[in-house]
Amino acid sequence: MTAPSAAPVTDLHAALKPNQRLTTAQEVKLQLARDFPPGALGWVDNITWQPSPVRVPVDRIDRTTGDTDWNAAASDKAKIAAFATRIRTGIRKPIVLIRHPDSKLLFAVDGHTRVLASAAIGEPVTAWVGTSKTADGGWRTVHRRKTN
């Protein structure tokens, strides 16, 4: 019989086991991983995140910049209505927002339709809010890599 190896065992699911809390960055990545390829999310680790999702008034969100066409998103009335119904019933998947030095408004990384739906019904969004030390980063262009 051979002796047990002294090398550590890598457990890819260790962070998901009971009694092990994910960091906020891990939670944000886990949520975004459903819609973005793994190589698109490295920037998440360079952001300082609030520890849990918070409610943010939609007028605090920049709806003019980024690699998302806000006008095109606003024209999909059926999708906005569907999200508004979900939000009214309490289903509030957090959007992802970034605070950065060049703007008083928050930059929407993901959740554009939820922002528009919340605005349509006069509700604040639920959001992961991170702070970037720089005015630019991978978070600014990640939306174009969305897989769905």
Side-chain angles (χ1 to χ4, degrees):
M1 174 169 241
T2 60
S5 169
V9 175
T10 301
D11 183 351
L12 297 176
H13 302 289
L16 302 177
K17 291 184 178 180
N19 302 325
Q20 292 186 352
R21 168 98 166 89
L22 295 174
T23 67
T24 304
Q26 288 171 323
E27 289 188 52
V28 171
K29 271 187 177 177
L30 191 61
Q31 178 179 312
L32 291 174
R34 298 175 194 141
D35 299 320
F36 295 92
L41 302 177
W43 58 270
V44 173
D45 296 320
N46 299 322
I47 301 294
T48 302
W49 295 98
Q50 290 187 354
S52 59
V54 295
R55 300 295 297 264
V56 177
V58 293
D59 64 354
R60 301 277 326 276
I61 300 168
D62 181 352
R63 289 182 270 166
T64 62
T65 62
D67 61 354
T68 295
D69 183 346
W70 284 94
N71 291 329
S75 70
D76 192 345
K77 303 295 184 198
K79 190 173 180 183
I80 292 170
F83 274 104
T85 298
R86 290 181 191 172
I87 293 165
R88 279 191 192 107
T89 63
I91 300 170
R92 297 180 182 273
K93 178 182 174 185
I95 67 167
V96 179
L97 299 173
I98 300 294
R99 178 182 294 112
H100 61 92
D102 278 2
S103 179
K104 292 182 181 183
L105 297 175
L106 299 165
F107 181 87
V109 174
D110 185 50
H112 299 82
T113 304
R114 286 171 276 158
V115 170
L116 295 170
S118 292
I121 61 174
E123 289 280 333
V125 296
T126 300
W128 293 109
V129 179
T131 302
S132 174
K133 293 177 185 173
T134 62
D136 203 6
W139 47 269
R140 191 171 286 283
T141 57
V142 72
H143 196 268
R144 72 177 64 134
R145 297 186 66 187
K146 194 164 186 170
T147 58
N148 69 4

